[in-house]
Amino acid sequence: MNDLNQFKNYGFFVKKNLISPKEINKINKVVNEVISKEREKKNQITKTVLNLMIIIILFTIPVPQKIRKF
């Protein structure tokens, strides 16, 4: 009855050891791989954007020209 009361009060059941630690480790491994790949993609995009910004800045800075004396 405790589970039924808990469901009525909170809207969910709490079951211990529903998923084995081995399965949890497998899920964690997959999640960590996905997160690592997404971070790597984000870093590559950031580097590309920064490189483009540097190129734009370099081309917009006026280059001092030599002044000719007459």
Side-chain angles (χ1 to χ4, degrees):
M1 268 325 243
N2 188 24
D3 288 341
L4 184 57
N5 289 334
Q6 201 171 31
F7 180 74
K8 286 180 182 178
N9 290 335
Y10 303 111
F12 58 87
F13 286 113
V14 176
K15 292 289 182 183
K16 292 186 178 183
N17 299 326
L18 185 62
I19 301 175
S20 70
K22 187 176 178 181
E23 290 296 318
I24 291 173
N25 289 337
K26 285 181 183 179
I27 293 169
N28 282 338
K29 184 178 177 183
V30 171
V31 168
N32 288 334
E33 286 176 10
V34 170
I35 290 171
S36 294
K37 287 179 184 178
E38 288 301 315
R39 282 185 182 154
E40 190 175 306
K41 284 180 187 178
K42 184 179 177 184
N43 286 340
Q44 286 176 350
I45 290 171
T46 303
K47 286 178 184 177
T48 302
V49 169
L50 286 175
N51 286 339
L52 288 172
M53 289 174 63
I54 290 170
I55 290 171
I56 290 170
I57 290 170
L58 288 175
F59 279 109
T60 56
I61 296 175
V63 178
Q65 296 178 359
K66 289 183 180 178
I67 301 175
R68 290 183 178 179
K69 290 185 180 178
F70 292 103

